Amino acid sequence: MPEDSESVHRRSGRLFAALAALHFLAAPGRRLPGPDAFKAKDELPRRLQGLKQGLYDDLALARGRGGTHWKAASGIFRSIPSFLEPGQLSPHTISLTESADHRSGYEAQLAALREDFPGLLP
C-alpha cells in the first residue's frame, strides 16, 4: 500500500510492481523486471500500458492456476486502486531523480508482496 507522503513517481513504481507481480503469477516461465529495466527518459504511461493491456488475461490465467497463485494475484489486483486514489500519475518523461524514485517504489512494493506472499515471488 502506498503511503500518503509518497511522490507520484514512487507510487507509480509501486503500481508497476503490482501489475508486474500479477503478470508474473499468471503463468509459469514469466519474469519480473529487474532494477535495470528503469531508465530516465521513460514515460510512465507507456511503461504501464503493456501490463495494463493484459490485466484481464493475467487474472484469468492466475485463476486457472488456482491455489496460492490465485490468492496472491487476486489480492494484488484488489490493491491496485490504492495506488491511483491520491491522484493521476505523471504523464511526462521522467528524469534520473524521478526514475530512481520510481525504482525505489517498485522495489518497496515487491518487498511488501514477498512478505505478504512468501515463496511466490523471486
Side-chain angles (χ1 to χ4, degrees), residues 2 6-16 19 43-49 52 80-94 102:
E6 286 186 326
S7 74
V8 67
H9 297 95
R10 185 168 167 90
R11 192 167 35 93
S12 72
R14 285 186 178 276
L15 173 61
F16 187 81
L19 293 170
E43 293 180 16
L44 297 178
R46 189 177 314 174
R47 178 178 283 175
L48 294 167
Q49 189 60 36
K52 290 187 314 186
I80 291 171
S82 69
F83 304 110
L84 302 172
E85 286 170 359
Q88 288 189 329
L89 299 178
S90 175
H92 65 78
T93 303
I94 59 179
H102 178 85

Side-chain angles (χ1 to χ4, degrees), residues 2-3 5 15 19 21 23 26 29 31 33 35 39-40 49 52 63-64 72 84 87 107 109-112 114 119:
E3 299 172 16
S5 62
L15 173 61
L19 293 170
H23 181 74
R31 300 175 69 178
K39 299 172 180 63
Q49 189 60 36
K52 290 187 314 186
R63 179 65 189 112
L84 302 172
E107 291 169 350
Q109 189 61 31
L110 282 184
R114 287 181 183 115

Side-chain angles (χ1 to χ4, degrees), residues 47-121:
R47 178 178 283 175
L48 294 167
Q49 189 60 36
L51 290 171
K52 290 187 314 186
Q53 285 179 334
L55 190 55
Y56 174 80
D57 292 336
D58 287 343
L59 279 172
L61 286 169
R63 179 65 189 112
R65 289 187 84 179
T68 56
H69 286 84
W70 171 240
K71 181 179 178 180
S74 62
I76 291 168
F77 178 76
R78 284 191 296 276
S79 76
I80 291 171
S82 69
F83 304 110
L84 302 172
E85 286 170 359
Q88 288 189 329
L89 299 178
S90 175
H92 65 78
T93 303
I94 59 179
S95 69
L96 285 172
T97 302
E98 292 165 340
S99 182
D101 206 21
H102 178 85
R103 184 174 41 255
S104 174
Y106 175 78
E107 291 169 350
Q109 189 61 31
L110 282 184
L113 293 173
R114 287 181 183 115
E115 187 176 312
D116 291 345
F117 307 107
L120 288 180
L121 301 172

